[in-house]
C-alpha cells in the first residue's frame, strides 16, 4: 500500500496518528448526525460502517438534521468575510511514496465531476454532503475544530479572490473559491502537487476569513491530512 506521511505545524505526523484522529472524529460526526457510532474496532471497518450510515440517510436527510448548524455557520462566515477580506491559511503537507501528481489530480477531478458520493464522504468522517451542483461543488462538512457543520460551494472555475499564490514548483493544482449562500466569497482552496523521485508531494491549503478562530484553522490541518490521505490511498488502489 502507498505510504503517506504528513507535516502539520512543522511536525512529522505518521499515518497511525492520522487514523487515530479519524477514529475520534467518527464518534463526533455520528453524534452530530444523531446516529449510533460504529462499534469500536479497526478504523477502516468503522469508516465503511459510518459511510453506509451516511449513504442510507441520504443527502437531504443529513442536510435537514444539520440545518440549524448550517444556518448559523453561514451567518458567521458571511459576517466574518464582511469584516475583512484578509485570510487565515490552514496548511498541511503530505509526502507520498508512490504514484504521481497528474494521476491523482485526474482521479480527484473525476470523482468530483461525477459526484461520487461514496468516494467523497468516505475520505473524512466530517464529510456529510459533497456533490456537484449548478454553482460548483456543494460541501456540507464540519471544518477543523468548529462546533458547527457548514454548507458552502466551491467554484473550481473561479480563482479570482484566492490569496494563496500558485507555486510554480507545484505544476498540478486543485483550486477554487468558496462561497456562502448569498454568493459572497468566504475563502477557498489551493491544493498543489508535484512529482518527486519516487512519488509526489501535496501542499494542501484552505483559506478562512481572517476573524476565524486560530484553533479552528489549526484543527482543519488534521481534516486535510485525513481526507487527502484516504483519497490518495483510494486513487492508488
Amino acid at each position: 500500500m502507498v505510504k503517506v506521511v504528513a507535516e502539520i505545524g512543522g511536525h512529522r505526523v505518521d499515518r497511525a496518528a492520522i487514523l487515530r484522529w479519524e477514529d475520534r472524529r467518527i464518534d463526533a460526526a455520528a453524534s452530530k448526525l444523531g446516529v449510533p457510532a460504529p462499534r469500536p474496532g479497526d478504523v477502516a471497518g468503522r469508516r465503511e460502517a459510518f459511510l453506509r450510515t451516511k449513504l442510507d440517510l441520504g443527502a437531504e436527510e443529513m442536510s435537514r438534521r444539520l440545518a440549524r448548524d448550517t444556518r448559523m455557520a453561514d451567518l458567521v462566515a458571511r459576517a466574518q468575510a464582511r469584516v475583512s477580506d484578509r485570510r487565515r491559511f490552514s496548511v498541511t503537507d503530505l509526502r507520498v511514496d508512490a504514484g504521481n501528481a497528474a494521476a491523482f489530480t485526474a482521479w480527484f477531478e473525476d470523482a468530483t465531476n461525477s459526484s461520487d458520493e461514496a468516494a467523497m464522504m468516505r475520505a473524512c468522517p466530517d464529510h456529510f454532503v459533497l456533490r456537484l451542483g449548478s454553482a460548483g461543488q456543494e460541501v456540507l462538512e464540519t471544518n477543523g475544530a468548529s462546533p458547527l457543520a457548514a454548507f458552502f460551494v466551491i467554484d473550481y472555475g473561479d480563482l479570482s479572490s484566492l490569496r494563496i499564490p500558485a507555486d510554480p514548483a507545484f505544476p498540478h493544482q486543485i483550486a477554487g473559491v468558496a462561497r456562502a449562500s448569498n454568493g459572497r466569497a468566504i475563502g477557498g482552496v489551493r491544493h498543489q502537487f508535484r512529482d518527486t523521485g519516487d512519488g509526489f508531494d501535496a501542499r494542501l491549503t484552505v483559506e478562512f476569513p481572517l476573524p476565524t478562530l486560530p484553533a479552528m484553522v489549526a484543527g482543519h490541518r488534521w481534516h486535510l491530512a485525513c481526507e487527502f490521505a484516504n483519497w490518495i490511498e483510494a486513487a492508488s488502489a
Side-chain angles (χ1 to χ4, degrees):
M1 177 179 287
V2 63
K3 181 180 179 181
V4 181
V5 176
E7 184 177 311
I8 298 176
H11 300 286
R12 184 182 184 276
V13 177
D14 63 19
R15 189 73 175 100
I18 298 168
L19 289 170
R20 288 193 295 271
W21 181 90
E22 181 180 0
D23 199 38
R24 294 192 298 272
R25 290 308 304 173
I26 289 172
D27 294 333
S31 176
K32 172 73 69 180
L33 282 175
V35 298
R39 296 193 321 191
D42 175 71
V43 178
R46 300 190 80 219
R47 180 191 303 136
E48 293 303 314
F50 190 45
L51 171 64
R52 288 194 296 273
T53 296
K54 290 189 284 188
L55 290 172
D56 287 345
L57 284 173
E60 275 62 45
E61 176 61 18
M62 287 189 287
S63 297
R64 186 191 69 79
R65 293 184 181 209
L66 300 174
R68 186 167 180 264
D69 268 23
T70 56
R71 283 194 299 268
M72 293 176 63
D74 187 64
L75 289 171
V76 169
R78 287 158 54 182
Q80 289 174 330
R82 282 197 302 270
V83 169
S84 174
D85 62 0
R86 296 171 63 195
R87 304 279 169 77
R88 292 190 191 275
F89 301 151
S90 182
V91 184
T92 294
D93 286 296
L94 300 182
R95 305 283 178 262
V96 186
D97 72 348
N100 64 79
F104 173 71
T105 54
W107 179 92
F108 183 89
E109 289 167 0
D110 181 66
T112 298
N113 292 332
S114 64
S115 290
D116 187 336
E117 288 185 294
M120 292 289 104
M121 284 195 291
R122 177 186 286 114
C124 183
D126 292 311
H127 289 177
F128 303 114
V129 178
L130 285 92
R131 62 185 178 187
L132 201 63
S134 59
Q137 186 182 38
E138 298 176 349
V139 180
L140 172 51
E141 68 176 22
T142 302
N143 293 313
S146 174
L148 301 173
F151 177 82
F152 52 93
V153 175
I154 301 176
D155 181 356
Y156 291 111
D158 181 12
L159 309 181
S160 61
S161 63
L162 292 183
R163 302 293 185 266
I164 307 158
D167 186 339
F170 289 77
H172 304 276
Q173 69 171 346
I174 299 163
V177 172
R179 298 190 181 279
S181 64
N182 64 349
R184 177 182 286 274
I186 55 172
V189 302
R190 195 187 293 273
H191 305 314
Q192 303 183 81
F193 307 85
R194 66 180 176 191
D195 290 332
T196 60
D198 58 357
F200 65 98
D201 291 341
R203 176 155 296 158
L204 313 170
T205 310
V206 173
E207 299 185 5
F208 291 97
L210 183 66
T212 305
L213 293 174
M216 177 177 158
V217 177
H220 199 68
R221 297 180 298 192
W222 287 87
H223 180 119
L224 286 166
C226 175
E227 64 185 354
F228 274 91
N230 281 330
W231 277 325
I232 288 166
E233 288 181 356
S236 69

